[in-house]
Amino acid sequence: MSVTLDIRLKRANKIYHEGETVAGVIVLVCKEPLQHHGISLNMEGLVNLQLSSKSVGVFEAFYNSVKPIQLISSNVEVAKAGKIPGGKTEIPFEFPLLTKGNKVLYETYHGVFVNIQYTLRCDMKRSLLAKDLSRNCEFIVHCQPQKAKVIPTPVNFTITPGTLQNTRERSLLPKFLIRGHLDATSCVISQPLTGEVVVENSDVPIKSIELQLVRVETCGVLKVCRDAQRSEYQIAEVCCHGLSIPSNVFPGGHCHMETHSIS
Amino acid sequence: SAVSEKVRTRLEELDDLEEVGFCPHRCVCIHQDYANRIVEPNQSLKEAWSSDQKVKALKIVIQSCLFLGRLVYDRIWTMCSDSGPLPDSFTVEDVNDTAKETCLNWFFKIASIRELLPRLYVEAAILKCNRFLNKSDIQETLPRLTAMIRGIGDPLVAAYARAYLCRVGMEVAPHLKDSLNRNFFDLLGTFQQISGESVQSQLVQQRVEVPEYLTLYSPAISWILQCIAYRAPEPLLMEMMERCKKLGNNALLLNSVMRAFRPEFVAARAADFIGMIKDCDEAGFPKHLLFGSLGRSLACADPPESERLTILNEAWKVITKVRSPQDYINCAEIWVEFTCRHFTKREVNTILADIIKHMTPDRAFEDAYPQLQSVIRKILTYFHDFSILFSTERFLPFLDMFQKDSVRVEVCRAIMEVFIKHQVELTRDPVILNAMLHICKAMHDSVTDFFICVALTLEDERRSLALLIIGFIRMVSFGRDFEQQLSFCVEARATFCNLEPVLVQLIHTVNQLAMETRRVMRGSHSRKTAAFVRACAAYSYITIPSLSNIFSRLSLYLLSGQVALANQCLSQADAFLKAAVSILAEVPRSISVEGKIRSSESFLLDFISNFLATLLVVPDHPEHGVLYLVRGLLNMVQDYTWEDNSDAKVRVYVSALPLLAAMSQETYLYCIPKVDSNETLYGGDPKFLSELNKLCETLIGQILDHLKALGRDEHSARRQSALAFSLFGVLLAHGDLRNNKLSQLAVNLWNLSHKQGHCETRISVRTLEYIKHQAQQPDMTHLSDTVQRLALQSRT
């Protein structure tokens, strides 16, 4: 006797904002009528933190995992113990996406040290002989779109041997001058991060220019980690001096552009 | 298993290209197939790369990209709507969320490709999918991608990436012209890179010459320019040209401009372009290619009239200096069109001379037949006046370069076809005649060369060539200079001795010439013209035996005999007819007609009837006996081995009877002016008449014997009836039925033919009616007796 349990959200992209209603249906499919001891639906938002060995000691990081912080939680009983008729049964549900008290509903984020996740969980209790059924479904929370449009603040930058921080022997470096700008310092997650790089001059031929995105994961006021993960993007191969090269990168989460590395 | 399940679903998505047939080990099979599909382009990519075809390698990549783009688009398209497929003109609102989500996912995934080039290509490949997301996205994406290409280091790779982006852009958003222009200007910006250190050292390393390397750019640049030039306003093109000038007239660019822009545009500024070509760097892009491109434009659009000569001079100055014969002819061939279009034979002659000069050393022409043929074709398109064409000094020497038989025949044939189509007036121009004879001879010799003739040349081929030569012969006329015409025929006979249809035509021409002479002299020849027509007869007499087709020979002997007779050449006519009689025995019993074997009997009977009709007017030869030719013919007929079970011989006898009857008349039915027939020779001499009677009796005796023989066999009753009836018909029409014996014979024949009931009653009835009608004529009353004895078949 097989039965399948599924949660289907109304929105295909599963993206919700604070104050909206998470709506969908629980779908039960079974061939014959099914006896059960109750179906419940649970919504939960959790922040999981893990300490990085860089910000605290190695051992501390190993032992002291921080307890998950709950952002939102609610539970409803969908159906009392009883029988479900054979075939496909759909049970609609709705949850308002509201926080209790003064907690902030952070955006969904899957990082290395920080994990913010919102899930729906449906449980069906059954008799002793049959296993309980359970189903998880993640949905994504985005911040409310900002009402006032942010005026992008372009940033100009210049890179020379002198501005590099991660080298010791500056005298060994060849001379070069790279200028560029970023179109904005903060940008919408679905839009590319754009800017331009101009190689003004360089003593040695350039083989490749790559753009590195460095993630800094924070949660609230707590700075969890710096350079948690780097994403590199090649924006140019051997290139032509004086020609501006655009840099377009889609950030995959909360990112700040940190450095240009030249290899 | 779960893995194979997954593989299968993946593959089914991929598999819309070709159906994999039913296979018991589907999973395994598909695995292999899938692997092959992945490996195959990979392999060809590697091969292309290692064989130094970098451009081909790029093309394979682009192909794969396009394929991917199509797959992704189609997949999302099918996801778009639950209720059937979307129309092609859908808008963003029609697309459901799932499809949008999938599409967005594609874009995000691609955006996270680390390397620039794949990221660029794949995003360009699925550019069309932007339609599912947003109206304005393509408008924003195209410039972004265009700008991204700047990051590509290798200028050649960048050029092709641009070409690809333009191609996708034209397909997805043809109205967005700006990014095309942007691409082009960026491309111009990278030109200095080509001469840069890294590219140059790479070329040295790969041992690629600079000009060769530069030509690799051409397709990409031409494509981009073509996209830009498509329906572009004039000022834009002008601006493009100005930009090229600013770049120090980069030859590579110039070449693409000339190829991509409208020929009218290029032609109007041809002088400018020539100036720019001249200013180009010698070492880079080969100049003959530049002139080739210019020539191609000028072949379809006309430059201002005042500039044409200068253009030609300037262009040819460069072309003539091209060393490699192959490069030279490729370029020269293009310019022939321009020259033919606007100039006279003088300029064309110069060019032909130049081509000959370049292509003759080391027999370079052997590798350039297609181009040389194209030169001839172009000339023939513009020059239809053959007196001009052939008086172009170097034209015939040019033809001499076609030394391979098959090519030469093809060229000659092309010339002949144009000649026959466009030469409307008869000609005697010695220049044309000489040249055409030369060409025809070339054609004739190549197909009748012994080995080819036996082994290779098809009958059809020979026939069509013969037709062309005949077409030429018919166009030749020397007007009243008949002797000249005859000597032309003599020459032609010597030249085309291996093509029978041509010989036949020549004999006809000469016969016509004789008749024409007769017409001019109004029937009475002077001593000079008499000698001339005898010469014509002699021509035919010695030409006919060389024909292999026996029926051609027979009919030409007869025809020439008639012509000789008409021209009062009695002994010649006699000779022709005698010759015809003498070869009758050679006629085979079956001949091939249009590839099928058929009995020759009906042809032979036709010919003999025709021949007999002519014999009426042929006077007997004084040295031979009476009715010499008639007897000769009948003897021939008797000795001929006719088919078994055939009545042909007897039918000849039946048809000879009317002739003999006609000969016994006091005045003959027809005669030839100024020729005395037997009627005058013998003047109704009783000896002559009895000779005729004796002959008739012999013939009728033979026929009756045959009828008797037929009677012995039941199966031949029908034949007997038909033969008896035809003899009855002859007796009725030509015999004198007042003679009782003859009348009795006629009645017997009638009865014989009706004995077995094989006669058609309708014909019998009509014959009877005819006889009754005749019987009412004043001197035919005797027929009424006869008719009473003719009984219709009783139908019981």
Side-chain angles (χ1 to χ4, degrees):
Chain A
M1 199 169 76
S2 70
V3 55
T4 55
L5 180 65
D6 202 5
I7 304 172
R8 279 191 203 148
L9 289 171
K10 264 190 183 163
R11 289 189 192 169
N13 56 9
K14 298 180 179 175
I15 297 175
Y16 295 88
H17 301 96
E18 188 172 358
E20 287 179 339
T21 307
V22 181
V25 286
I26 297 168
V27 183
L28 282 156
V29 182
C30 52
K31 279 181 186 154
E32 289 155 39
L34 178 77
Q35 194 75 41
H36 67 91
H37 293 295
I39 303 172
S40 64
L41 188 65
N42 184 37
M43 178 175 77
E44 197 172 39
L46 283 179
V47 179
N48 274 300
L49 294 177
Q50 211 177 355
L51 292 177
S52 159
S53 57
K54 281 188 183 167
S55 43
V56 293
V58 179
F59 293 102
E60 271 179 299
F62 191 71
Y63 293 113
N64 294 11
S65 64
V66 185
K67 244 179 89 181
I69 305 161
Q70 198 176 54
L71 296 175
I72 191 170
S73 172
S74 60
N75 199 357
V76 285
E77 191 175 33
V78 180
K80 289 210 166 84
K83 233 180 184 179
I84 299 170
K88 188 172 168 185
T89 311
E90 292 193 353
I91 307 166
F93 64 84
E94 280 188 357
F95 281 106
L97 197 58
L98 288 169
T99 46
K100 284 174 197 156
N102 57 356
K103 279 182 178 165
V104 184
L105 214 53
Y106 293 113
E107 283 195 330
T108 297
Y109 177 75
H110 297 282
V112 181
F113 300 103
V114 179
N115 224 349
I116 304 171
Q117 195 175 19
Y118 295 84
T119 50
L120 282 171
R121 180 188 161 94
C122 177
D123 288 303
M124 183 164 80
K125 291 203 171 65
R126 293 208 282 176
S127 60
L128 284 171
L129 291 173
K131 254 195 201 165
D132 289 355
L133 286 176
S134 155
R135 183 85 187 177
N136 273 328
C137 169
E138 187 185 358
F139 66 95
I140 293 152
V141 174
H142 274 186
C143 287
Q144 279 295 11
Q146 264 148 327
K147 300 231 166 63
K149 211 170 185 189
V150 183
I151 301 148
T153 46
V155 181
N156 290 317
F157 58 83
T158 311
I159 310 169
T160 60
T163 60
L164 295 187
Q165 294 165 5
N166 53 354
T167 44
R168 283 170 206 158
E169 298 281 339
R170 292 215 174 137
S171 53
L172 294 180
L173 287 174
K175 267 191 198 164
F176 62 88
L177 172 60
I178 296 169
R179 284 191 301 102
H181 69 267
L182 282 179
D183 291 337
T185 45
S186 61
C187 55
V188 187
I189 197 158
S190 59
Q191 294 299 313
L193 174 77
T194 56
E196 265 183 4
V197 183
V198 183
V199 180
E200 293 285 346
N201 57 60
S202 162
D203 279 359
V204 290
I206 298 173
K207 275 189 183 153
S208 174
I209 301 178
E210 297 197 347
L211 193 70
Q212 225 175 44
L213 292 184
V214 180
R215 283 212 244 209
V216 175
E217 297 182 341
T218 63
C219 188
V221 288
L222 173 72
K223 186 166 186 178
V224 184
C225 167
R226 192 185 135 80
D227 61 64
Q229 194 185 9
R230 290 162 191 269
S231 336
E232 293 184 345
Y233 297 93
Q234 183 188 36
I235 58 166
E237 301 169 317
V238 196
C239 67
C240 192
H241 292 195
L243 194 65
S244 57
I245 300 156
S247 54
N248 309 284
V249 166
F250 280 95
H254 298 281
C255 307
H256 294 293
M257 198 165 92
E258 192 79 356
T259 59
H260 294 304
S261 79
I262 296 173
S263 46
Chain B
S1 65
V3 177
S4 64
E5 191 66 30
K6 206 169 163 188
V7 168
R8 188 181 322 173
T9 46
R10 279 278 150 89
L11 280 169
E12 274 161 9
E13 284 163 20
L14 268 173
D15 255 352
D16 50 13
L17 249 198
E18 57 182 301
E19 275 298 318
V20 179
F22 172 76
C23 171
H25 311 288
R26 188 173 168 83
C27 190
V28 180
C29 202
I30 282 178
H31 240 312
Q32 195 54 47
D33 201 48
Y34 183 64
N36 283 346
R37 191 168 293 174
I38 298 297
V39 170
E40 204 175 290
N42 233 346
Q43 199 58 39
S44 47
L45 194 60
K46 269 188 207 157
E47 272 166 24
W49 192 257
S50 59
S51 61
D52 218 32
Q53 292 172 287
K54 305 273 154 46
V55 174
K56 190 182 167 197
L58 254 168
K59 279 179 185 162
I60 294 173
V61 172
I62 291 173
Q63 284 290 323
S64 321
C65 279
L66 279 174
F67 182 56
L68 175 76
R70 211 175 62 226
L71 285 183
V72 173
Y73 183 84
D74 288 349
R75 176 177 138 77
I76 296 177
W77 189 62
T78 51
M79 287 171 71
C80 274
S81 168
D82 307 320
S83 54
L86 282 179
D88 268 346
S89 55
F90 68 89
T91 59
V92 184
E93 287 76 34
D94 302 329
V95 182
N96 69 14
D97 284 346
T98 329
K100 272 186 186 161
E101 198 53 30
T102 317
C103 189
L104 208 57
N105 196 24
W106 269 100
F107 280 108
F108 284 145
K109 286 275 158 32
I110 290 163
S112 59
I113 298 175
R114 189 183 157 181
E115 287 76 17
L116 173 66
L117 199 57
R119 190 168 69 234
L120 196 68
Y121 265 110
V122 181
E123 186 169 355
I126 64 164
L127 188 67
K128 198 178 176 189
C129 294
N130 271 303
R131 281 185 74 190
F132 297 115
L133 295 178
N134 200 315
K135 269 180 201 155
S136 60
D137 256 14
I138 295 179
Q139 213 165 339
E140 289 158 13
T141 314
L142 266 178
R144 186 166 55 79
L145 291 175
T146 305
M148 271 167 77
I149 296 179
R150 291 178 177 184
I152 298 176
D154 189 328
L156 183 59
V157 175
Y160 276 89
R162 287 187 197 287
Y164 177 62
L165 189 62
C166 288
R167 186 204 185 292
V168 175
M170 284 300 276
E171 187 192 338
V172 177
H175 54 282
L176 298 176
K177 295 268 184 192
D178 281 353
S179 69
L180 293 176
N181 296 353
R182 192 68 250 159
N183 258 311
F184 182 66
F185 296 144
D186 278 359
L187 181 77
L188 296 189
T190 58
F191 269 170
Q192 46 177 311
Q193 263 180 288
I194 297 173
S195 51
E197 212 174 295
S198 62
V199 173
Q200 291 299 326
S201 62
Q202 212 183 340
L203 291 186
V204 171
Q205 214 175 7
Q206 297 180 342
R207 296 204 188 98
V208 178
E209 296 287 326
V210 175
E212 193 190 339
Y213 174 71
L214 286 180
T215 50
L216 294 182
Y217 282 88
S218 279
I221 299 177
S222 298
W223 173 259
I224 297 174
L225 275 171
Q226 224 162 3
C227 292
I228 292 175
Y230 179 68
R231 293 189 181 162
E234 202 94 324
L236 178 68
L237 302 183
M238 291 297 288
E239 193 197 334
M240 296 284 168
M241 226 172 112
E242 282 310 310
R243 292 227 181 201
C244 300
K245 270 189 190 161
K246 269 188 210 135
L247 269 173
N249 284 330
N250 187 301
L252 177 57
L253 197 60
L254 199 55
N255 186 43
S256 298
V257 166
M258 289 188 290
R259 285 191 155 218
F261 286 8
R262 288 189 288 274
E264 295 78 21
F265 178 87
V266 177
R269 293 163 187 75
D272 276 359
F273 275 106
I274 286 189
M276 285 157 73
I277 295 174
K278 274 205 266 179
D279 292 344
C280 282
D281 181 20
E282 276 291 341
F285 201 78
K287 275 198 180 170
H288 64 90
L289 288 186
L290 291 174
F291 273 104
S293 301
L294 182 61
R296 219 166 265 140
S297 290
L298 294 182
C300 6
D302 300 338
E305 194 159 1
S306 56
E307 293 173 10
R308 288 175 191 167
L309 189 62
T310 335
I311 291 171
L312 183 64
N313 279 330
E314 291 294 344
W316 210 263
K317 229 186 274 173
V318 177
I319 297 169
T320 191
K321 279 185 200 135
V322 177
R323 287 261 180 76
S324 142
Q326 204 62 33
D327 290 345
Y328 168 82
I329 191 66
N330 280 335
C331 190
E333 177 240 321
I334 298 168
W335 278 85
V336 168
E337 174 118 23
F338 176 72
T339 318
C340 292
R341 232 169 125 101
H342 302 297
F343 298 96
T344 59
K345 76 169 193 183
R346 201 171 72 101
E347 288 79 5
V348 173
N349 190 42
T350 317
I351 283 179
L352 289 180
D354 196 56
I355 294 180
I356 295 172
K357 200 177 84 192
H358 274 83
M359 302 310 287
T360 312
D362 298 329
R363 300 176 68 80
F365 51 78
E366 283 181 345
D367 300 323
Y369 285 139
Q371 291 93 329
L372 294 175
Q373 270 178 287
S374 153
V375 169
I376 293 285
R377 262 200 304 279
K378 282 171 183 164
I379 293 177
L380 288 175
T381 321
Y382 291 97
F383 288 81
H384 291 156
D385 187 338
F386 279 78
S387 61
I388 292 181
L389 186 62
F390 289 134
S391 61
T392 308
E393 266 172 52
R394 309 309 293 175
F395 186 74
L396 289 181
F398 190 88
L399 290 186
D400 287 340
M401 285 200 290
F402 297 101
Q403 296 196 352
K404 193 171 150 197
D405 270 333
S406 58
V407 181
R408 189 168 57 220
V409 173
E410 227 171 281
V411 171
C412 292
R413 183 194 286 274
I415 297 174
M416 290 298 297
E417 273 162 7
V418 174
F419 178 81
I420 287 170
K421 194 168 160 198
H422 292 284
Q423 182 76 31
V424 272
E425 285 173 14
L426 300 176
T427 181
R428 58 180 300 175
D429 182 338
V431 177
I432 295 184
L433 294 189
N434 274 333
M436 288 311 278
L437 269 178
H438 178 84
I439 289 167
C440 291
K441 184 171 161 43
M443 229 159 45
H444 170 268
D445 290 355
S446 60
V447 289
T448 54
D449 188 356
F450 178 73
F451 290 105
I452 298 174
C453 173
V454 170
L456 295 175
T457 323
L458 291 166
E459 199 51 40
D460 279 353
E461 167 87 358
R462 288 167 60 91
R463 197 173 3 207
S464 74
L465 286 186
L467 277 178
L468 288 175
I469 297 178
I470 289 172
F472 160 61
I473 290 174
R474 292 167 80 146
M475 292 315 294
V476 177
S477 165
F478 290 88
R480 294 292 284 269
D481 193 347
F482 293 148
E483 283 177 8
Q484 185 82 39
Q485 183 101 31
L486 183 62
S487 70
F488 170 77
C489 287
V490 171
E491 195 185 342
R493 180 179 59 189
T495 316
F496 308 121
C497 57
N498 287 325
L499 285 174
E500 263 185 37
V502 178
L503 293 183
V504 172
Q505 172 63 36
L506 284 171
I507 295 168
H508 282 303
T509 307
V510 170
N511 279 334
Q512 201 185 358
L513 202 56
M515 292 311 281
E516 191 67 11
T517 316
R518 182 176 175 276
R519 194 181 61 78
V520 171
M521 300 306 290
R522 292 164 204 272
S524 43
H525 286 293
S526 68
R527 220 170 62 189
K528 198 176 157 205
T529 56
F532 178 71
V533 292
R534 279 199 292 275
C536 290
Y539 180 95
S540 301
Y541 191 74
I542 54 175
T543 311
I544 294 171
S546 64
L547 301 175
S548 68
N549 184 325
I550 186 98
F551 280 101
S552 306
R553 257 189 288 165
L554 283 173
S555 58
L556 283 172
Y557 272 135
L558 179 58
L559 183 72
S560 305
Q562 287 165 343
V563 169
L565 213 53
N567 282 296
Q568 303 123 42
C569 306
L570 295 185
S571 61
Q572 280 78 5
D574 228 33
F576 278 121
L577 299 178
K578 219 159 77 182
V581 171
S582 68
I583 61 166
L584 266 181
E586 295 171 27
V587 176
R589 296 231 304 247
S590 55
I591 51 166
S592 121
V593 180
E594 285 164 2
K596 284 176 206 148
I597 302 293
R598 285 178 48 183
S599 160
S600 65
E601 199 178 276
S602 58
F603 293 97
L604 192 54
L605 288 180
D606 277 355
F607 173 74
I608 292 175
S609 305
N610 199 353
F611 194 82
L612 288 171
T614 309
L615 284 184
L616 177 64
V617 290
V618 181
D620 277 344
H621 194 282
E623 286 169 21
H624 298 293
V626 178
L627 297 178
Y628 166 71
L629 278 171
V630 179
R631 282 171 201 280
L633 178 72
L634 291 176
N635 285 339
M636 236 31 188
V637 169
Q638 189 166 24
D639 296 343
Y640 185 76
T641 44
W642 297 93
E643 275 174 58
D644 304 333
N645 294 323
S646 151
D647 304 325
K649 181 163 78 177
V650 182
R651 295 224 316 262
V652 173
Y653 292 160
V654 173
S655 57
L657 289 173
L659 171 69
L660 296 174
M663 280 181 156
S664 61
Q665 303 303 311
E666 272 170 40
T667 33
Y668 285 2
L669 282 169
Y670 46 85
C671 62
I672 293 173
K674 298 194 194 301
V675 174
D676 293 332
S677 312
N678 285 343
E679 66 177 321
T680 342
L681 281 186
Y682 299 114
D685 185 351
K687 251 181 170 173
F688 178 61
L689 289 180
S690 74
E691 200 66 37
L692 285 173
N693 276 338
K694 245 191 263 168
L695 206 51
C696 285
E697 270 171 35
T698 319
L699 288 179
I700 290 175
Q702 294 266 342
I703 298 167
L704 292 180
D705 284 350
H706 186 73
L707 282 175
K708 220 178 273 172
L710 285 178
R712 278 196 282 274
D713 190 350
E714 276 180 29
H715 299 292
S716 47
R718 183 179 289 276
R719 278 162 59 198
Q720 187 194 41
S721 155
L723 204 56
F725 196 76
S726 71
L727 183 57
F728 169 77
V730 168
L731 293 184
L732 184 67
H734 304 282
D736 185 357
L737 292 188
R738 279 172 294 199
N739 182 325
N740 276 338
K741 257 167 86 184
L742 208 55
S743 163
Q744 183 57 46
L745 178 61
V747 172
N748 288 348
L749 284 169
W750 173 274
N751 290 337
L752 180 63
S753 64
H754 286 78
K755 197 170 75 184
Q756 304 279 348
H758 289 301
C759 256
E760 258 195 71
T761 322
R762 206 154 52 91
I763 294 176
S764 306
V765 171
R766 285 181 61 182
T767 312
L768 279 179
E769 274 169 12
Y770 167 77
I771 301 172
K772 280 175 193 161
H773 178 76
Q774 285 285 311
Q776 284 161 10
Q777 304 283 328
D779 51 348
M780 292 292 213
T781 42
H782 60 278
L783 281 181
S784 48
D785 295 339
T786 315
V787 82
Q788 280 167 4
R789 297 163 64 192
L790 303 178
L792 266 182
Q793 203 169 349
S794 56
R795 290 181 170 269
T796 45

